[in-house]
Amino acid sequence: MWITVKKDADLSDVKASLTELGVWTQSLQQEGGPGRSLAILPHSAAVSSERILKIPGIDQLFAAESRMPKVDAQSGQILQEENWTLGQAPILMAGPCGVESEQQIHQAAELVANAGATFLRGGAFKPRSSPYSFCGFGQEALVWLREAADSHDLKVVTELLSEQNVDQVAKYTDLIQIGSRNMQNFALLKAAGQTGVPVLLKRGMAATVEDWMLSGEHLLAAGSRHVVFCERGIQSYDQPFRNLLDLSAVALLKHVHKQLVIVDPSHGAGRKDLILPLSKAALAVGADGLLVEAHPNPGQARSDGPQALQEEDLNRLGTLFEQSEKRAPTLCLKD
Ligand code: PEP
Ligand code: MN
């Protein structure tokens, strides 16, 4: 993006006015004299073009066409479904990593509802590193999950793993989860998008924010009603954590791009003792909600037991949401 400055304007005054808005620039050198064009540097705040063009002395603003117009169009929007909303007060989504039995998911739903959550999570189709690990009960589990959620007045979020199951999953869920491993499975994104159902798009474990947002564009281009971005940690070299929870990316998506963002501290940390502090941090950064793993008996969990919360810790987490009925407006220069 660059700006041209009128011939009679003072270049340093223009630069100072831009800096006040958080727009950092560098003069573009032109042959035969000082540059009259300014390049906008990438770490600048997102300020509307109308606001930039109001600065005295600015002639024109040139911007490359966005590669993600549909994601841009979501900016500042809330997701308003028939009986749930995302983007006003933060919400809690919780439940086991996998749906392991009818009884387990009913017990989990009770814990999750008692903690004040809006959504029940649980995988019917599980992506596992080893083919010999528990891979989920598929269709049967979708039915148990939906029934457990309905009987506790909860919504459902569950992962879609394959194009083959798209209609099946869309029928039972309120929000389709696309897992980290599939963030750039474009055929799957297309199939999920074509259902129209809103999608929770997890960030790939080695994905840049730009690639993550472009995957959001794939979903919207195919027909998704809304894409909600879910930060779940990126791969790091450090041993104590399963992943590195990138709260900078959450701040960027919330405050600059004004997208709906959910944070998953469970996969971020991989250990339950860090879930509460990371959840507080995520909400402080502006997350619209949390996706947290909880299990009635983590010791018996068939996947992700070490990061699953039990009743007491889940209830403690639930209290974070009681105080956040109405959130303070977020500071954003796009306003
Ligand atoms: C999950 O939510 O259980 C899961 C497998 O998540 P991710 O795709 O973030 O690893
Ligand atoms: Mn899991």
Side-chain angles (χ1 to χ4, degrees):
M1 252 165 113
W2 78 98
I3 288 165
T4 54
V5 177
K6 287 180 183 155
K7 279 200 177 69
D8 54 352
D10 183 321
L11 202 59
S12 43
D13 283 355
V14 172
K15 281 187 96 164
S17 306
L18 286 163
T19 310
E20 254 174 57
L21 291 179
V23 178
W24 303 91
T25 57
Q26 194 174 358
S27 296
L28 291 171
Q29 286 306 313
Q30 282 171 355
E31 268 180 48
R36 304 298 293 174
S37 300
L38 301 172
I40 297 181
L41 300 177
H43 56 270
S44 295
V47 180
S48 69
S49 47
E50 291 80 34
R51 202 148 163 200
I52 290 181
L53 288 168
K54 273 191 197 139
I55 295 174
I58 286 191
D59 189 15
Q60 289 189 74
L61 172 69
F62 297 89
E65 223 166 90
S66 170
R67 294 209 289 156
M68 46 186 98
K70 291 185 191 300
V71 171
D72 293 343
Q74 285 197 155
S75 179
Q77 304 288 317
I78 62 165
L79 172 55
Q80 181 73 66
E81 291 292 280
E82 209 175 293
N83 42 16
W84 61 277
T85 305
L86 191 62
Q88 285 176 335
I91 64 170
L92 177 58
M93 303 176 172
C97 181
V99 179
E100 297 165 354
S101 69
E102 189 170 7
Q103 192 199 22
Q104 173 249 20
I105 197 64
H106 275 272
Q107 285 174 349
E110 192 172 340
L111 296 181
V112 165
N114 288 343
T118 310
F119 270 78
L120 178 64
R121 64 146 289 151
F125 300 96
K126 293 301 307 168
R128 303 305 301 279
S129 300
S130 162
Y132 311 114
S133 301
F134 172 65
C135 291
F137 287 119
Q139 167 73 28
E140 228 182 343
L142 287 174
V143 176
W144 298 333
L145 178 65
R146 184 77 256 176
E147 282 174 1
D150 287 347
S151 58
H152 291 88
D153 205 15
L154 294 164
K155 305 293 158 220
V156 168
V157 55
T158 195
E159 180 164 355
L160 172 67
L161 204 55
S162 149
E163 291 160 68
Q164 285 164 19
N165 306 115
V166 68
D167 295 331
Q168 221 178 351
V169 170
K171 180 172 165 205
Y172 290 95
T173 197
D174 298 284
L175 189 58
I176 296 176
Q177 176 175 328
I178 297 289
S180 192
R181 291 155 190 82
N182 275 314
M183 189 204 84
Q184 285 187 311
N185 178 342
F186 300 120
L188 185 67
L189 297 182
K190 187 170 179 184
Q194 283 171 340
T195 66
V197 176
V199 174
L200 183 82
L201 178 62
K202 287 202 163 193
R203 181 178 182 183
M205 51 194 82
T208 62
V209 172
E210 194 186 15
D211 280 343
W212 186 19
M213 293 179 79
L214 282 167
S215 288
E217 187 73 16
H218 273 268
L219 285 162
L220 293 167
S224 268
R225 247 191 327 281
H226 206 109
V227 174
V228 178
F229 293 91
C230 178
E231 165 60 37
R232 48 77 74 202
I234 49 176
Q235 248 166 12
S236 144
Y237 52 83
D238 213 354
Q239 295 298 316
F241 322 100
R242 184 171 174 184
N243 288 297
L244 178 71
L245 192 68
D246 184 3
L247 293 180
S248 300
V250 178
L252 185 77
L253 280 184
K254 277 311 309 164
H255 297 272
V256 176
H257 300 290
K258 296 181 89 179
Q259 297 295 319
L260 295 179
V261 185
I262 296 290
V263 172
D264 172 352
S266 303
H267 292 86
R271 43 190 282 178
K272 65 180 172 192
D273 55 344
L274 300 182
I275 306 296
L276 188 64
L278 288 174
S279 296
K280 288 181 184 168
L283 293 175
V285 159
D288 296 293
L290 301 175
L291 179 72
V292 171
E293 288 189 341
H295 196 289
N297 186 355
Q300 305 283 304
R302 298 186 69 174
S303 58
D304 287 349
Q307 66 196 35
L309 297 183
Q310 269 175 299
E311 188 171 8
E312 199 183 320
D313 289 332
L314 187 64
N315 286 337
R316 196 167 301 141
L317 188 73
T319 61
L320 297 181
F321 292 82
E322 285 163 16
Q323 305 135 16
S324 51
E325 281 274 296
K326 241 198 178 151
R327 65 167 1 141
T330 52
L331 175 71
C332 182
L333 289 167
K334 255 188 177 172
D335 283 331

